[in-house]
Amino acid sequence: MKLQLLNIFIACTFCISCSQKPVKTERIQVSPKVLTDSLFIKSAASFICIGDYLVLQDPRQVSNFIKIYDTKGHLVSEVGQIGNGPEEFILPECIPFGENKFLTWNRYGTFQTAVSSSENQFKQEFRSFNVFNGKNQSIQLCKNGNFITYDPTKDHVITLYSPDGKEIASAGKLPFSSDIANREHFYSGKIVYNHENQILLLYLEVLPYAATFKVTSSNISLLNERTFGNPEYTINGDQMQVKEGGKNCLVGCCLTEDFIISIMNDPDYTGNDKSQTSPKRHTVGVYDYDFNLVKIVNLGMPRYNLAASGKDNTFYAIVQNPENSIIEIEL
């Protein structure tokens, strides 16, 4: 298969607006509901909620690497094959594709669709789309089927496309130099879309910047943006150097009705445990849509991935408990 084919499987901080009043952060300890404690996975590369289902993918499993659970914790289906073939995937990512549907895409996989049936099974279909240029780092979909992409090499990094590849709108100008080499690395980022309130979150992974946009079927408009902390970087010619890449960045975010949930190491932890199960890895940060940190939530166990449907303030997490488990948290 030619590499140029893009492949898809459907199945306190510094605020740019200084007039904002500081918001007190509440610390809370929760007792999550355990949905399942028998995932039998090696790792979870992505984790999403699509209506009545939770979809996670473990690319370390060559066969049936996508696991589909209902929101009660029951495994209902397994699909997907890792490899180089016409119906296989390399470095896939799952994203919602409407109610009880999802799409898995990467630059070197195949075009497929997984759609739930009345028997709680997922059958595969195959489709091609002409909206990808090979530089998109993250992709989401609107309810009407339009694609939203993040491409850090463009002047306006967020673009809305129709399914046939026609550009509808673009927005999002990063508050950093556009004249540096390797923008794909230094401005690497993710987008997450809440279909319920039509809010898109962009968060960078090297520099601590995030922004929200209103995305409709025909328009993109900036709502808010925030640079967290005071990032230290230098630019010499077209070369950028970042002192502590990833510091203060949002991580692994999901969107609920009222909140942005981010993986966050406990800022109050004073112990010396640096392991993956350290108590400092038990917490998540809860931000409002103005990027105020309103809660630090202690789950009581190490968390790895987050997911939410966006229709309420419930979210889900993959945790170690002590085996890999899925839990449900209501804020």
Side-chain angles (χ1 to χ4, degrees), residues 159-180:
T159 306
L160 181 66
Y161 291 99
S162 64
D164 62 1
K166 180 181 178 182
E167 184 174 326
I168 300 171
S170 63
K173 199 168 181 64
L174 299 178
F176 308 106
S177 172
S178 61
D179 298 324
I180 68 163

Side-chain angles (χ1 to χ4, degrees), residues 151-290:
D151 179 353
T153 68
K154 299 179 67 173
D155 287 338
H156 292 96
V157 296
I158 305 296
T159 306
L160 181 66
Y161 291 99
S162 64
D164 62 1
K166 180 181 178 182
E167 184 174 326
I168 300 171
S170 63
K173 199 168 181 64
L174 299 178
F176 308 106
S177 172
S178 61
D179 298 324
I180 68 163
N182 201 5
R183 291 176 64 175
E184 295 95 330
H185 168 69
F186 290 106
Y187 303 158
S188 64
K190 297 280 188 181
I191 54 174
V192 186
Y193 186 57
N194 186 334
H195 296 85
E196 301 296 328
N197 58 20
Q198 297 182 312
I199 293 180
L200 179 83
L201 168 70
L202 162 66
Y203 59 98
L204 301 192
E205 298 172 310
V206 177
L207 291 164
Y209 171 82
T212 53
F213 302 84
K214 187 79 169 182
V215 182
T216 66
S217 60
S218 59
N219 189 48
I220 308 172
S221 55
L222 176 68
L223 296 177
N224 204 350
E225 58 183 347
R226 176 76 69 95
T227 299
F228 300 89
N230 186 21
E232 297 183 53
Y233 63 90
T234 58
I235 297 177
N236 185 9
D238 65 353
Q239 299 299 309
M240 172 179 272
Q241 294 291 330
V242 179
K243 185 175 181 179
E244 294 184 74
K247 183 179 180 181
N248 295 325
C249 291
L250 299 183
V251 178
C253 295
C254 68
L255 304 180
T256 71
E257 181 180 13
D258 299 309
F259 303 113
I260 299 166
I261 317 296
S262 172
I263 290 173
M264 170 187 284
N265 287 342
D266 190 340
D268 294 335
Y269 177 71
T270 57
N272 297 318
D273 187 349
K274 297 181 180 180
S275 70
Q276 292 299 312
T277 58
S278 167
K280 75 176 181 179
R281 302 183 187 275
H282 292 188
T283 49
V284 298
V286 179
Y287 297 81
D288 62 23
Y289 279 101
D290 290 324

Side-chain angles (χ1 to χ4, degrees), residues 1 7-9 85-89 104 106 108-112:
M1 179 181 295
N7 293 289
I8 303 181
F9 178 128
E87 299 178 15
E88 298 174 342
F89 303 90
T104 300
N106 64 17
Y108 313 119
T110 56
F111 303 94
Q112 302 181 42

Side-chain angles (χ1 to χ4, degrees), residues 21-38:
K21 294 182 179 179
V23 174
K24 184 179 179 180
T25 302
E26 177 187 10
R27 289 190 62 97
I28 60 174
Q29 177 84 41
V30 296
S31 298
K33 178 181 179 181
V34 178
L35 301 182
T36 178
D37 58 2
S38 55

